[in-house]
Amino acid sequence: MPRTSNTSETAIPRLVGIRQVSDGWIKKYVLAYAMPDGSTYEYESASRKSIDAYRAELEGNARGERPIADAVCIVPQTPDGNLLLIREFRYPLNSWCIAFPAGLKEPGESLAACVDRELREETGYALRAEADCANAPALEPLPQAGYSSTGLTDETVHVVFAQVERVSTAQPEPNEFIEPFLLAVEDVPRFLAENRTPIGTRAQLVLEAFARRR
């Protein structure tokens, strides 16, 4: 299937400047655009990247370059077909949140290495050997990374389906509060109907896909 073009007949804003207004693990930027009618417009955004890296990324997006994943989101299944999810305390929500295991990629880290590392840290599970996976590959990534929240940040997340097995106990960071749990595929519709815990959009969409394919 051909890739969708990044070009259009519609005139769009043109990036003319970027300035950083706050620093930290998450940085805040103000993007300046020249509008098609000749006016100027400023838009606030957030990124983990330095100003030079962020500018290079924005310019690459305008050229239609495929994004590089900042993080992974893992949809793990055990040998008996259960889905592996987590309850994680999320500080911005001041609440537990239902999600799939996920985490940031280290510089130069392969997708498989990142997936295996995050699984071990958050759940105590690991990727199964390819030879053990009769019905599906051990690691099956979606074709490209997607954006977490296009109105707010440039963060990109690569969703991958993974065949996993329990190998140890979880090893989260001291400031991480994570409870892994298994969910049978046939129980997904009931879980979605009864769950009252905040849920991440990716987890919600993937679970809905499992529920509706029955």
Coordinates of all heavy atoms in Angstrom, one line a residue, residues 54-147:
Y54 N 14.2 19.3 18.7 CA 12.8 19.5 18.5 C 12.6 20.2 17.1 O 11.7 19.9 16.3 CB 12.2 20.3 19.6 CG 10.7 20.5 19.6 CD1 9.9 19.5 19.0 CD2 10.0 21.6 20.1 CE1 8.5 19.6 19.0 CE2 8.7 21.7 20.1 CZ 7.9 20.7 19.5 OH 6.5 20.9 19.5
R55 N 13.4 21.3 16.9 CA 13.3 22.0 15.6 C 13.6 21.0 14.4 O 12.9 21.1 13.4 CB 14.3 23.1 15.6 CG 14.3 23.9 14.2 CD 15.3 25.0 14.2 NE 15.1 26.1 15.1 CZ 15.8 26.3 16.2 NH1 16.8 25.5 16.5 NH2 15.6 27.3 17.0
A56 N 14.6 20.2 14.6 CA 15.0 19.3 13.5 C 13.8 18.3 13.2 O 13.5 17.9 12.1 CB 16.2 18.5 13.8
E57 N 13.2 17.9 14.3 CA 12.0 17.0 14.2 C 10.9 17.6 13.4 O 10.3 17.0 12.5 CB 11.6 16.5 15.5 CG 10.4 15.5 15.5 CD 9.8 15.3 16.9 OE1 9.4 16.3 17.5 OE2 9.8 14.1 17.3
L58 N 10.6 18.9 13.8 CA 9.5 19.6 13.2 C 9.7 19.8 11.7 O 8.8 19.7 10.9 CB 9.3 20.9 13.9 CG 8.8 20.9 15.4 CD1 8.7 22.3 16.0 CD2 7.4 20.2 15.5
E59 N 11.0 20.1 11.4 CA 11.3 20.3 10.0 C 11.2 19.0 9.2 O 10.8 19.0 8.0 CB 12.7 20.9 9.9 CG 12.8 22.4 10.4 CD 14.2 22.9 10.5 OE1 15.2 22.1 10.4 OE2 14.4 24.1 10.7
G60 N 11.6 17.9 9.9 CA 11.5 16.6 9.2 C 10.0 16.2 9.0 O 9.7 15.6 8.0
N61 N 9.2 16.5 10.0 CA 7.7 16.3 9.8 C 7.2 17.0 8.6 O 6.4 16.4 7.8 CB 7.0 16.7 11.1 CG 7.2 15.8 12.3 OD1 7.8 14.7 12.1 ND2 6.9 16.3 13.4
A62 N 7.6 18.2 8.4 CA 7.1 19.0 7.3 C 7.6 18.4 5.9 O 6.9 18.5 4.9 CB 7.6 20.4 7.3
R63 N 8.7 17.7 5.9 CA 9.2 17.0 4.7 C 8.5 15.6 4.6 O 8.8 14.9 3.6 CB 10.7 16.8 4.8 CG 11.4 18.2 4.7 CD 12.9 17.9 4.5 NE 13.5 17.3 5.6 CZ 14.1 17.9 6.7 NH1 14.1 19.2 6.7 NH2 14.7 17.2 7.7
G64 N 7.7 15.2 5.5 CA 7.1 13.9 5.4 C 7.9 12.7 5.9 O 7.6 11.6 5.6
E65 N 8.9 13.0 6.7 CA 9.8 11.9 7.2 C 9.1 11.1 8.3 O 8.3 11.7 9.1 CB 11.1 12.5 7.8 CG 12.0 13.2 6.7 CD 13.2 13.9 7.3 OE1 13.4 13.7 8.6 OE2 13.9 14.5 6.6
R66 N 9.3 9.8 8.3 CA 8.6 9.0 9.3 C 9.2 9.2 10.7 O 10.4 9.3 10.9 CB 8.8 7.5 8.9 CG 8.2 6.5 9.9 CD 8.1 5.1 9.3 NE 7.1 5.1 8.2 CZ 6.6 3.9 7.7 NH1 7.0 2.8 8.2 NH2 5.6 3.9 6.8
P67 N 8.3 9.3 11.7 CA 8.8 9.6 13.0 C 9.6 8.5 13.6 O 9.3 7.3 13.3 CB 7.5 9.9 13.8 CG 6.5 9.1 13.1 CD 6.8 9.2 11.6
I68 N 10.5 8.8 14.5 CA 11.3 7.8 15.3 C 10.6 7.7 16.6 O 10.3 8.7 17.3 CB 12.7 8.2 15.4 CG1 13.4 8.3 14.0 CG2 13.5 7.3 16.3 CD1 14.8 8.9 14.1
A69 N 10.4 6.5 17.1 CA 9.7 6.2 18.4 C 10.5 6.8 19.6 O 11.7 6.5 19.7 CB 9.4 4.8 18.5
D70 N 9.8 7.5 20.4 CA 10.4 7.9 21.7 C 10.1 6.8 22.8 O 10.9 6.7 23.7 CB 9.7 9.2 22.2 CG 9.9 10.4 21.3 OD1 11.1 10.5 20.7 OD2 9.0 11.1 21.0
A71 N 9.1 6.1 22.6 CA 8.7 5.1 23.6 C 8.0 3.9 23.0 O 7.7 3.9 21.8 CB 7.7 5.8 24.6
V72 N 7.7 2.9 23.8 CA 7.0 1.7 23.3 C 5.8 1.5 24.2 O 5.8 1.9 25.4 CB 7.9 0.4 23.3 CG1 9.0 0.5 22.3 CG2 8.3 0.1 24.7
C73 N 4.7 0.9 23.6 CA 3.6 0.5 24.4 C 3.4 -1.0 23.9 O 3.3 -1.3 22.7 CB 2.3 1.3 24.0 SG 0.8 0.6 24.8
I74 N 3.4 -1.9 24.9 CA 3.4 -3.3 24.7 C 2.1 -4.0 24.9 O 1.5 -3.7 26.0 CB 4.5 -4.0 25.5 CG1 5.8 -3.2 25.4 CG2 4.7 -5.5 25.2 CD1 6.7 -3.3 26.6
V75 N 1.6 -4.7 24.0 CA 0.4 -5.5 24.2 C 0.8 -7.0 24.3 O 0.9 -7.7 23.3 CB -0.6 -5.3 23.0 CG1 -1.9 -6.1 23.2 CG2 -0.9 -3.8 22.7
P76 N 1.0 -7.4 25.6 CA 1.6 -8.8 25.8 C 0.5 -9.8 25.9 O -0.6 -9.6 26.5 CB 2.3 -8.6 27.1 CG 2.1 -7.2 27.5 CD 1.0 -6.7 26.8
Q77 N 0.7 -11.0 25.3 CA -0.1 -12.1 25.5 C 0.7 -13.3 26.1 O 1.8 -13.5 25.6 CB -0.8 -12.5 24.2 CG -2.1 -11.7 23.9 CD -2.9 -12.3 22.8 OE1 -2.6 -12.1 21.7 NE2 -4.0 -13.0 23.2
T78 N 0.2 -14.0 27.0 CA 0.9 -15.2 27.6 C 0.6 -16.4 26.8 O -0.3 -16.4 25.9 CB 0.3 -15.4 29.1 OG1 -1.1 -15.6 29.0 CG2 0.6 -14.1 29.9
P79 N 1.4 -17.5 27.0 CA 1.2 -18.7 26.3 C -0.3 -19.3 26.3 O -0.7 -19.9 25.3 CB 2.1 -19.7 26.9 CG 3.2 -18.9 27.5 CD 2.5 -17.6 28.0
D80 N -1.0 -19.0 27.4 CA -2.4 -19.5 27.4 C -3.4 -18.5 26.9 O -4.6 -18.6 27.0 CB -2.8 -19.9 28.8 CG -2.5 -18.8 29.9 OD1 -2.1 -17.7 29.5 OD2 -2.8 -19.0 31.1
G81 N -2.9 -17.4 26.3 CA -3.8 -16.4 25.6 C -4.3 -15.3 26.4 O -5.0 -14.4 25.9
N82 N -3.9 -15.2 27.6 CA -4.3 -14.0 28.4 C -3.6 -12.8 28.0 O -2.4 -12.8 27.6 CB -4.1 -14.3 29.9 CG -5.0 -15.3 30.5 OD1 -6.2 -15.4 30.1 ND2 -4.5 -16.2 31.4
L83 N -4.2 -11.6 28.2 CA -3.6 -10.3 28.0 C -2.9 -9.9 29.4 O -3.5 -10.1 30.4 CB -4.6 -9.3 27.6 CG -5.2 -9.5 26.2 CD1 -6.4 -8.5 26.0 CD2 -4.2 -9.3 25.1
L84 N -1.7 -9.3 29.3 CA -1.0 -8.8 30.4 C -1.2 -7.3 30.5 O -0.7 -6.6 29.6 CB 0.4 -9.2 30.4 CG 1.4 -8.7 31.4 CD1 1.0 -9.1 32.8 CD2 2.8 -9.0 31.1
L85 N -1.8 -6.8 31.5 CA -2.0 -5.3 31.7 C -1.4 -4.9 33.0 O -0.9 -5.7 33.8 CB -3.4 -4.9 31.6 CG -4.1 -5.1 30.3 CD1 -5.0 -6.4 30.3 CD2 -5.0 -3.9 30.0
I86 N -1.4 -3.6 33.3 CA -0.9 -3.1 34.5 C -1.9 -2.0 35.1 O -2.6 -1.4 34.3 CB 0.5 -2.4 34.4 CG1 0.5 -1.3 33.4 CG2 1.6 -3.5 34.0 CD1 1.8 -0.4 33.4
R87 N -1.9 -2.0 36.4 CA -2.4 -0.8 37.1 C -1.2 0.0 37.6 O -0.4 -0.5 38.3 CB -3.3 -1.2 38.3 CG -4.6 -2.0 37.9 CD -5.3 -2.3 39.2 NE -6.5 -3.2 38.9 CZ -6.4 -4.5 38.8 NH1 -5.3 -5.1 39.1 NH2 -7.5 -5.2 38.5
E88 N -1.2 1.2 37.2 CA 0.0 2.1 37.6 C -0.5 3.4 38.2 O -1.4 4.0 37.6 CB 0.9 2.4 36.3 CG 2.1 3.2 36.7 CD 3.1 3.4 35.5 OE1 2.7 3.0 34.4 OE2 4.1 3.9 35.8
F89 N 0.1 3.8 39.3 CA -0.3 5.1 39.8 C 0.4 6.2 39.0 O 1.6 6.2 38.8 CB 0.2 5.3 41.3 CG -0.1 6.6 41.9 CD1 -1.4 6.7 42.4 CD2 0.7 7.6 41.9 CE1 -1.8 7.9 43.0 CE2 0.4 8.9 42.4 CZ -0.9 9.0 43.0
R90 N -0.5 7.1 38.4 CA 0.0 8.1 37.5 C -0.1 9.5 38.3 O -1.2 9.9 38.6 CB -0.8 8.1 36.2 CG -0.4 7.0 35.3 CD 1.0 7.2 34.9 NE 1.4 6.3 33.7 CZ 2.6 6.3 33.2 NH1 3.6 7.0 33.7 NH2 2.8 5.5 32.1
Y91 N 1.0 10.1 38.5 CA 1.1 11.3 39.2 C 0.2 12.5 38.6 O -0.5 13.2 39.4 CB 2.5 11.8 39.4 CG 3.3 10.8 40.3 CD1 4.1 9.8 39.7 CD2 3.3 11.0 41.6 CE1 4.8 8.9 40.5 CE2 4.1 10.1 42.5 CZ 4.8 9.1 41.9 OH 5.5 8.2 42.7
P92 N 0.2 12.7 37.3 CA -0.6 13.8 36.8 C -2.1 13.5 37.0 O -2.9 14.5 37.0 CB -0.3 13.7 35.3 CG 1.0 13.1 35.1 CD 1.1 12.1 36.2
L93 N -2.5 12.3 37.2 CA -3.9 12.0 37.5 C -4.3 11.9 39.0 O -5.4 11.9 39.4 CB -4.3 10.7 36.8 CG -4.1 10.5 35.3 CD1 -4.6 9.2 34.9 CD2 -4.8 11.7 34.6
N94 N -3.2 11.7 39.8 CA -3.4 11.4 41.3 C -4.3 10.2 41.4 O -5.2 10.2 42.3 CB -4.0 12.6 42.0 CG -3.9 12.4 43.5 OD1 -3.0 11.8 44.0 ND2 -4.9 12.9 44.2
S95 N -4.0 9.2 40.6 CA -4.9 8.0 40.6 C -4.2 6.8 39.9 O -3.3 7.0 39.2 CB -6.2 8.3 39.8 OG -7.0 7.2 39.6
W96 N -4.7 5.6 40.2 CA -4.3 4.5 39.5 C -4.8 4.6 38.1 O -5.9 5.3 37.8 CB -4.9 3.2 40.1 CG -4.2 2.9 41.4 CD1 -4.7 3.2 42.7 CD2 -3.0 2.1 41.6 NE1 -3.9 2.7 43.6 CE2 -2.8 2.1 43.0 CE3 -2.1 1.6 40.8 CZ2 -1.7 1.4 43.6 CZ3 -1.0 0.9 41.4 CH2 -0.8 0.9 42.7
C97 N -4.2 4.0 37.1 CA -4.6 4.0 35.7 C -4.4 2.6 35.1 O -3.4 2.0 35.4 CB -3.8 5.1 35.0 SG -4.3 5.3 33.2
I98 N -5.3 2.2 34.3 CA -5.2 0.9 33.6 C -4.4 1.2 32.3 O -4.7 2.1 31.5 CB -6.6 0.3 33.2 CG1 -7.4 0.1 34.5 CG2 -6.4 -1.0 32.4 CD1 -6.8 -0.9 35.5
A99 N -3.4 0.4 32.0 CA -2.6 0.5 30.8 C -2.0 -0.8 30.4 O -2.0 -1.8 31.2 CB -1.6 1.6 31.0
F100 N -1.3 -0.8 29.3 CA -0.4 -1.8 28.9 C 1.0 -1.4 29.3 O 1.3 -0.2 29.4 CB -0.5 -2.1 27.4 CG -1.7 -2.9 26.9 CD1 -2.7 -2.2 26.2 CD2 -1.8 -4.2 27.3 CE1 -3.8 -2.9 25.8 CE2 -2.9 -4.9 26.9 CZ -3.9 -4.3 26.1
P101 N 1.9 -2.3 29.6 CA 3.3 -2.0 29.9 C 3.9 -1.0 28.8 O 3.6 -1.2 27.6 CB 4.0 -3.3 29.9 CG 2.9 -4.3 30.2 CD 1.7 -3.8 29.5
A102 N 4.6 0.0 29.3 CA 5.2 0.9 28.3 C 6.4 1.6 28.9 O 6.6 1.6 30.2 CB 4.1 2.0 28.0
G103 N 7.1 2.3 28.1 CA 8.3 3.0 28.6 C 9.1 3.7 27.5 O 8.9 3.4 26.3
L104 N 10.0 4.6 27.9 CA 10.8 5.3 27.0 C 11.9 4.4 26.5 O 12.5 3.6 27.2 CB 11.4 6.5 27.6 CG 10.4 7.6 28.1 CD1 11.2 8.7 28.9 CD2 9.7 8.2 26.9
K105 N 12.3 4.6 25.2 CA 13.4 3.9 24.6 C 14.7 4.6 25.0 O 14.8 5.9 25.1 CB 13.3 3.9 23.1 CG 12.3 3.0 22.5 CD 12.4 3.0 21.0 CE 13.7 2.4 20.5 NZ 13.8 2.4 19.0
E106 N 15.7 3.8 25.3 CA 17.1 4.4 25.6 C 17.7 4.7 24.2 O 17.4 4.1 23.2 CB 17.9 3.4 26.3 CG 17.4 2.9 27.7 CD 17.4 4.0 28.7 OE1 18.1 5.0 28.5 OE2 16.8 3.9 29.8
P107 N 18.7 5.7 24.2 CA 19.4 6.1 23.0 C 20.1 4.8 22.4 O 20.8 4.1 23.1 CB 20.4 7.1 23.4 CG 19.8 7.7 24.7 CD 19.1 6.6 25.4
G108 N 19.8 4.6 21.1 CA 20.4 3.5 20.4 C 19.8 2.1 20.7 O 20.3 1.1 20.2
E109 N 18.8 2.1 21.5 CA 18.2 0.8 21.9 C 17.3 0.3 20.8 O 16.5 1.0 20.3 CB 17.5 1.0 23.2 CG 17.0 -0.3 23.9 CD 16.3 -0.1 25.2 OE1 15.6 0.9 25.3 OE2 16.5 -0.9 26.1
S110 N 17.4 -1.0 20.5 CA 16.5 -1.6 19.5 C 15.1 -1.7 20.1 O 14.9 -1.7 21.4 CB 17.0 -3.0 19.1 OG 16.9 -3.9 20.2
L111 N 14.1 -1.9 19.3 CA 12.8 -2.0 19.7 C 12.6 -3.3 20.6 O 12.0 -3.3 21.6 CB 11.8 -2.1 18.5 CG 10.3 -2.0 18.7 CD1 10.0 -0.6 19.3 CD2 9.6 -2.2 17.4
A112 N 13.2 -4.4 20.1 CA 13.0 -5.7 20.9 C 13.7 -5.5 22.3 O 13.1 -6.0 23.3 CB 13.7 -6.8 20.1
A113 N 14.9 -4.9 22.3 CA 15.6 -4.8 23.6 C 14.8 -3.9 24.6 O 14.7 -4.2 25.8 CB 17.0 -4.2 23.4
C114 N 14.2 -2.8 24.0 CA 13.4 -1.9 24.8 C 12.1 -2.7 25.4 O 11.8 -2.5 26.6 CB 12.9 -0.7 24.0 SG 11.9 0.5 24.9
V115 N 11.4 -3.4 24.5 CA 10.3 -4.1 24.9 C 10.6 -5.1 26.0 O 9.9 -5.2 27.1 CB 9.6 -4.9 23.7 CG1 8.6 -5.9 24.2 CG2 9.0 -3.8 22.8
D116 N 11.7 -5.9 25.8 CA 12.0 -6.9 26.8 C 12.4 -6.3 28.2 O 12.0 -6.7 29.2 CB 13.2 -7.7 26.3 CG 13.5 -9.0 27.1 OD1 12.6 -9.9 27.1 OD2 14.5 -9.1 27.8
R117 N 13.2 -5.2 28.1 CA 13.6 -4.5 29.3 C 12.4 -3.9 30.1 O 12.2 -4.1 31.3 CB 14.5 -3.3 29.0 CG 14.9 -2.4 30.2 CD 15.9 -1.4 29.8 NE 15.4 -0.5 28.7 CZ 14.5 0.5 28.9 NH1 14.0 0.7 30.1 NH2 14.1 1.2 27.9
E118 N 11.5 -3.3 29.4 CA 10.3 -2.7 30.1 C 9.4 -3.8 30.6 O 8.8 -3.6 31.7 CB 9.5 -1.8 29.1 CG 10.2 -0.5 28.7 CD 10.3 0.4 29.9 OE1 9.6 0.2 30.9 OE2 11.1 1.4 29.9
L119 N 9.2 -4.9 29.9 CA 8.4 -6.0 30.4 C 9.0 -6.5 31.7 O 8.3 -6.7 32.7 CB 8.4 -7.1 29.4 CG 7.4 -7.0 28.2 CD1 7.7 -8.0 27.2 CD2 5.9 -7.0 28.7
R120 N 10.3 -6.8 31.7 CA 11.0 -7.3 32.9 C 10.8 -6.3 34.1 O 10.6 -6.8 35.2 CB 12.4 -7.6 32.7 CG 12.6 -8.8 31.7 CD 14.1 -8.9 31.3 NE 14.3 -10.0 30.3 CZ 14.6 -11.3 30.6 NH1 14.7 -11.6 31.8 NH2 14.7 -12.1 29.6
E121 N 11.1 -5.0 33.9 CA 11.0 -4.1 34.9 C 9.6 -3.9 35.5 O 9.4 -3.9 36.7 CB 11.5 -2.7 34.4 CG 13.0 -2.6 34.1 CD 13.4 -1.3 33.5 OE1 12.5 -0.4 33.4 OE2 14.6 -1.1 33.1
E122 N 8.6 -3.8 34.7 CA 7.3 -3.5 35.1 C 6.4 -4.7 35.5 O 5.5 -4.6 36.3 CB 6.5 -2.7 34.0 CG 7.1 -1.3 33.8 CD 6.2 -0.5 32.9 OE1 5.2 -0.9 32.4 OE2 6.6 0.7 32.7
T123 N 6.7 -5.9 34.9 CA 5.8 -7.0 35.1 C 6.5 -8.3 35.6 O 5.8 -9.2 36.1 CB 5.1 -7.3 33.8 OG1 6.0 -7.8 32.8 CG2 4.4 -6.1 33.3
G124 N 7.8 -8.5 35.4 CA 8.5 -9.7 35.6 C 8.3 -10.7 34.5 O 8.8 -11.9 34.6
Y125 N 7.7 -10.3 33.4 CA 7.6 -11.1 32.2 C 8.7 -10.7 31.2 O 9.3 -9.6 31.3 CB 6.2 -10.9 31.5 CG 5.1 -11.7 32.2 CD1 4.6 -11.2 33.5 CD2 4.5 -12.8 31.7 CE1 3.6 -11.9 34.1 CE2 3.5 -13.5 32.3 CZ 3.0 -13.0 33.6 OH 2.0 -13.7 34.2
A126 N 8.9 -11.5 30.2 CA 9.9 -11.3 29.1 C 9.4 -11.8 27.8 O 8.4 -12.6 27.8 CB 11.2 -11.9 29.5
L127 N 10.0 -11.4 26.7 CA 9.7 -11.9 25.4 C 9.9 -13.4 25.3 O 11.0 -13.8 25.8 CB 10.5 -11.2 24.3 CG 10.0 -9.8 23.9 CD1 11.0 -9.2 22.9 CD2 8.6 -9.8 23.3
R128 N 9.1 -14.1 24.8 CA 9.3 -15.5 24.5 C 10.2 -15.7 23.4 O 10.3 -14.9 22.4 CB 8.0 -16.3 24.3 CG 7.0 -16.3 25.4 CD 5.7 -16.9 25.0 NE 5.8 -18.2 24.5 CZ 4.8 -18.8 23.9 NH1 3.7 -18.2 23.6 NH2 5.0 -20.1 23.5
A129 N 11.0 -16.8 23.4 CA 11.8 -17.2 22.2 C 11.0 -17.4 21.0 O 9.9 -18.0 21.1 CB 12.7 -18.4 22.5
E130 N 11.5 -17.0 19.8 CA 10.7 -17.2 18.6 C 10.3 -18.6 18.4 O 9.2 -18.9 17.9 CB 11.5 -16.7 17.4 CG 11.8 -15.2 17.3 CD 10.6 -14.4 16.8 OE1 9.6 -15.0 16.5 OE2 10.6 -13.2 16.9
A131 N 11.1 -19.5 18.8 CA 10.9 -21.0 18.5 C 9.7 -21.5 19.4 O 9.0 -22.5 19.1 CB 12.1 -21.8 18.9
D132 N 9.4 -20.7 20.4 CA 8.3 -21.1 21.3 C 6.9 -20.6 20.9 O 5.9 -20.9 21.4 CB 8.5 -20.6 22.8 CG 9.8 -21.3 23.4 OD1 10.1 -22.4 22.9 OD2 10.4 -20.7 24.3
C133 N 6.9 -19.7 19.9 CA 5.7 -19.1 19.5 C 5.2 -19.7 18.2 O 5.6 -19.3 17.1 CB 5.9 -17.6 19.3 SG 6.6 -16.8 20.7
A134 N 4.3 -20.6 18.3 CA 3.8 -21.4 17.1 C 2.8 -20.6 16.3 O 2.8 -20.7 15.1 CB 3.1 -22.7 17.6
N135 N 2.0 -19.7 16.9 CA 0.9 -19.1 16.2 C 1.1 -17.6 15.9 O 0.4 -17.0 15.1 CB -0.4 -19.2 17.0 CG -0.8 -20.6 17.2 OD1 -0.7 -21.4 16.3 ND2 -1.3 -20.9 18.4
A136 N 2.2 -17.0 16.4 CA 2.4 -15.6 16.2 C 3.9 -15.3 16.5 O 4.5 -15.9 17.3 CB 1.5 -14.7 17.1
P137 N 4.4 -14.2 15.8 CA 5.8 -13.8 16.1 C 5.9 -13.4 17.6 O 5.0 -12.9 18.2 CB 6.1 -12.7 15.2 CG 5.0 -12.7 14.2 CD 3.8 -13.4 14.8
A138 N 7.1 -13.5 18.2 CA 7.3 -13.1 19.5 C 7.1 -11.6 19.6 O 6.6 -11.0 20.7 CB 8.7 -13.4 20.0
L139 N 7.5 -10.8 18.6 CA 7.3 -9.4 18.6 C 6.7 -9.0 17.2 O 7.3 -9.3 16.2 CB 8.7 -8.7 18.7 CG 8.7 -7.2 19.0 CD1 8.1 -6.9 20.3 CD2 10.2 -6.7 18.9
E140 N 5.6 -8.3 17.3 CA 4.9 -7.9 16.1 C 4.5 -6.4 16.2 O 3.5 -6.0 16.7 CB 3.7 -8.7 15.9 CG 3.0 -8.6 14.5 CD 1.9 -9.6 14.3 OE1 1.6 -10.3 15.3 OE2 1.4 -9.7 13.2
P141 N 5.4 -5.5 15.7 CA 5.2 -4.0 15.8 C 4.1 -3.6 14.8 O 4.0 -4.1 13.7 CB 6.5 -3.4 15.6 CG 7.5 -4.5 15.5 CD 6.7 -5.8 15.1
L142 N 3.4 -2.5 15.2 CA 2.6 -1.8 14.2 C 3.6 -1.2 13.2 O 4.7 -1.0 13.4 CB 1.7 -0.8 14.8 CG 0.6 -1.3 15.7 CD1 -0.3 -0.1 16.2 CD2 -0.2 -2.4 15.1
P143 N 3.1 -0.8 11.9 CA 4.0 -0.4 10.9 C 4.8 0.9 11.3 O 5.9 1.0 10.8 CB 3.0 -0.1 9.7 CG 1.9 -1.0 10.0 CD 1.7 -1.0 11.4
Q144 N 4.3 1.8 12.1 CA 5.1 2.9 12.4 C 4.6 3.5 13.8 O 3.6 3.1 14.3 CB 4.9 4.1 11.4 CG 3.5 4.7 11.4 CD 3.4 5.8 10.3 OE1 3.4 5.5 9.1 NE2 3.3 7.0 10.8
A145 N 5.5 4.3 14.4 CA 5.1 4.9 15.7 C 4.0 5.9 15.5 O 3.9 6.6 14.4 CB 6.4 5.6 16.2
G146 N 3.2 6.1 16.5 CA 2.1 7.1 16.4 C 2.3 8.1 17.5 O 3.1 7.9 18.4
Y147 N 1.6 9.2 17.4 CA 1.7 10.3 18.4 C 0.7 10.2 19.5 O -0.4 9.8 19.4 CB 1.5 11.7 17.6 CG 2.7 12.0 16.8 CD1 2.7 11.6 15.4 CD2 3.8 12.7 17.3 CE1 3.8 11.9 14.6 CE2 4.8 13.0 16.4 CZ 4.8 12.6 15.1 OH 5.9 12.9 14.3

